[in-house]
Amino acid sequence: MMRLRALALALLAVLTLGACTITYVVPDDGVVVRPVPASSVIERFDVFGGAEVFREGDDIEFVIRTSASGYVMLTSLLPSGEVRVVARNLPVEGGVTTVLDGSSLGSRFVVGAPSGWHRVRAAFTTGRSDGASAVFEGRFGEDDWAAAIRIVVDPFAISDIAETSFFVR
């Protein structure tokens, strides 16, 4: 009974935290970056269909709804700590729920190794981001991931970041 209760609480925490959004606010001097608890643009960002557990090779889709039109970059933090870019400059229309599945790039999103929890962040900007502005490959860990995303979103007056996660068996 205690194991079931602990599992239920863990699942509730994952579902609750999976919908969390981090918004970065940069003052005029550009020195301090601090998280603000509420989202200003991304209203929803989740794994499409609500699934949390996948196998390597499964197709995966994300769903996003924003209050403004713009572009989204998807990046991931693998269980190994490695940071990867999933896709850049995916167009989204404000007020419309959009499924991000890779088809706008002429492909699809496929779950890869390693096993464990994979975290994915959607970084919204009002304009197309320059792919050369931030290098994600070769970065490891939460701090490097957040720093690279900030380099991408900081030039835009309106930006937002949201996170979701899934588990690979």
Side-chain angles (χ1 to χ4, degrees):
M1 185 65 167
M2 291 300 287
R3 288 180 106 184
L4 185 58
R5 180 178 288 172
L7 181 61
L9 287 173
L11 180 59
L12 179 63
V14 167
L15 292 174
T16 303
L17 294 176
C20 290
T21 299
I22 300 170
T23 302
Y24 291 98
V25 177
V26 180
D28 292 335
D29 61 10
V31 174
V32 178
V33 178
R34 58 185 166 78
V36 174
S39 173
S40 60
V41 180
I42 298 175
E43 298 171 346
R44 177 183 180 200
F45 177 60
D46 296 300
V47 174
F48 183 67
E52 283 192 347
V53 179
F54 293 86
R55 294 185 187 274
E56 188 175 341
D58 286 348
D59 286 355
I60 189 168
E61 302 171 336
F62 302 94
V63 63
I64 191 166
R65 183 178 176 90
T66 60
S67 60
S69 295
Y71 297 87
V72 173
M73 177 180 66
L74 299 178
T75 60
S76 65
L77 180 65
L78 304 180
S80 62
E82 188 177 350
V83 176
R84 295 242 175 102
V85 174
V86 177
R88 294 182 189 268
N89 294 317
L90 299 170
V92 292
E93 185 178 339
V96 176
T97 300
T98 303
V99 175
L100 305 173
D101 60 3
S103 62
S104 65
L105 304 171
S107 63
R108 60 182 210 225
F109 297 146
V110 178
V111 174
S115 61
W117 282 102
H118 291 237
R119 295 168 54 197
V120 178
R121 286 187 182 161
F124 172 89
T125 55
T126 51
R128 294 177 68 86
S129 61
D130 176 12
S133 64
V135 176
F136 285 82
E137 287 70 24
R139 291 185 178 256
F140 288 88
E142 175 80 30
D143 292 341
D144 275 0
W145 189 26
I149 292 172
R150 280 195 306 270
I151 292 169
V152 172
V153 301
D154 280 354
F156 296 91
I158 299 174
S159 63
D160 200 4
I161 301 166
E163 182 177 313
T164 192
S165 60
F166 60 92
F167 189 84
V168 177
R169 286 192 222 184

